Amino acid sequence: MSKISNPVIYETDYSYEAVKSLEGGILQEEGPNAKYLLDYPTVYIVHDEKKSREFSVYIGETSDIRQRTKQHLIEDPKKREDWESLAKSDDSKMYIIGHNYFNKSLTLDIENKLMMYMSSIDSVQSVYNRRTNQQKEYYTVDKLDEIFSKIWRKLRKKNKTLFPVEKIIKDSALFKASPFHKLSDEQIQAKDKVILKIMEALTRNQSGELILVTGEAGSGKTVLMSSLFYELKQLAQEESENIVLQEANSYLLVNHEQQLKVYQQIANKLGITSKKVPNLVSKPTTFINNHTPKEKADVVIVDEAHLLWTQGKQSYRGKNQLYDLMERAKVVVAVFDINQVLTTEQYWEEEELLTLEHEANLKGNFIHLENQMRINASQSTINWIRSMIDDRKINPILKDIKGYDLKIFNHPKELYEAIREKAKDENSGISRITATFDWEYVDKRKPEKDDYWRVKIGDWSLPWNLQLPQMKEQKRKNRNLSWAEQEQTIYEVGSTFTIQGFDLNYAGVIIGPSVKYRNGEIVFDRSFSQNKKATRQRTLKNGKKEQFSDMLLKNELNVLLTRGVNGLYIYAVDEELQKALINAAKG
């Protein structure tokens, strides 16, 4: 097998004067390799450092870099503000990237992957080219990842701020939710079906059409919705050839503070939101308060729709957020996982939920994602986790043939030290410790007899999440980062409310005293839970009050045990449960 050669990367000022001498400069500097920049398809990056360590970036591909650059400098500034800004700046630079393997499909995939990477970088404030170009099968597709890594490493030698280490980018929440991910066949089919259904509904001027997308944690729902939202925005542009979706307005909603930050950053960087259109990405209550049933939005996408409120509360005066959204939109695309409902205010009565699913099915509006994409484990390990959650059984732990690291620890301190070691290793990425909500935490006040609300087990303790003080510079850096991405959170314990919807490379899970093992099965004891939102009663439509803590505490366990991509470390407070886990680890 022949070794893949290094890319050719030529750096130049981005100006009309520089372009006039572009060909001569490339020939002089690159010699025999100049043909890969002048005669082959190329990918290029135009960047401008607006402020110190704050960049605007345009990424493109072309079969004629000379002609394309002239067009960008002379014609495009007349039509678009972003090109005008780049053309007028004295600091704009351009990288032209060539390779002997480049063909049209490969350059489109490289361009797409560069957009995914660069829109995930803190120092990049704006990414101007916003199309998606995902290619399917072609002759050199198997070389894509290796060629891209060579390109990235060479770019990094030129500018370490603009091109950070790949691993840092891949661990970011922005990267994991990026609309530029290469979708699986299942995701592509789902997205195509949703877009077709949206077009049918808008063509027929329907109202309140519900498309339900379901799937377990880690099945790729967030990436699918991010990609769908982004594509709808591209199809809505004036120059779009899709007449039905041209100028259609789309909104992306999520009822989760940490996930909302991620989506808002993506939308800001890609120019989807601005001061003129600030609330295209928001929480459901914000959307409901800003819209009336008379002025319907075209499309509303709801990620984590299981977090929608199904009863009124202090900040929401309605009765069911999903129904309110359906009243205010022609089409609602809702991503739902019943196993991630965590509070009584999100609870759906079974008959009502079955009716929604049945109606969606009848219209062909029900989509279920089967593939498990989060956990890099063999099926036996996935089955073990699912059996513990769904069947409440603890089976022997079998050796994972893919190398997934599933361990049971004898003490929380040992588990925590193991997670800290993983967090130090850049190749292991973000690893954090989490726990069931079995220790008191009140976010609006401090404890009277302690420095922080803490998870305490014997003489070991660690503060609950979102409490440790931060320096001013650290606060500024962290304001757009999810809990797990912030450096100081390695010294905290995460809960379902900060970690839901996010990946960890290694997840340490302390199973608190609300989860017990009795008579050969897991049971839930609400008297030991501090999660009042899960243990309080819920008033049903018939006026009866009932407890749903068994289901909600099981879902809490489900969220925590399905975060780890490469490993899951467990310690249980309940003696019998801990003993059963240790015995299971013996195989």
Side-chain angles (χ1 to χ4, degrees), residues 10-15 19 43-50 55-61 65 68-70 72-73 76 82-83 85-89 91-97 114 118 124 126-129 155 162-163:
Y10 180 77
E11 183 177 3
T12 179
D13 288 338
Y14 178 71
S15 67
V19 169
V43 180
Y44 59 97
I45 302 169
V46 180
H47 67 89
D48 181 24
E49 192 167 0
K50 296 285 187 185
F55 296 89
S56 295
V57 172
Y58 182 92
I59 301 152
E61 60 79 36
I65 190 63
R68 179 60 60 86
T69 310
K70 287 177 184 176
H72 285 328
L73 282 162
D76 292 341
D82 46 9
W83 278 117
S85 174
L86 287 169
K88 285 184 175 180
S89 173
D91 300 315
S92 293
K93 306 283 185 185
M94 180 166 68
Y95 297 110
I96 306 168
I97 305 163
L114 280 169
M118 303 205 77
V124 174
S126 304
V127 178
Y128 291 145
N129 183 358
L155 287 168
L162 189 55
F163 305 102

Side-chain angles (χ1 to χ4, degrees), residues 122 168 416 419-420 423-424 426 429-433 468-470 473-475 477-479 481-492:
D122 284 343
I168 292 173
Y416 176 52
I419 288 294
R420 281 189 66 182
K424 287 178 187 175
E426 195 174 81
I430 297 175
S431 299
R432 292 293 183 267
I433 189 169
L468 291 181
Q470 302 169 48
E473 180 62 26
Q474 195 178 19
K475 272 188 178 179
K477 180 184 174 185
N478 287 341
R479 70 173 180 260
L481 297 179
S482 66
W483 172 80
E485 291 177 286
Q486 299 176 29
E487 288 181 11
Q488 81 281 359
T489 62
I490 189 61
Y491 305 108
E492 294 182 329

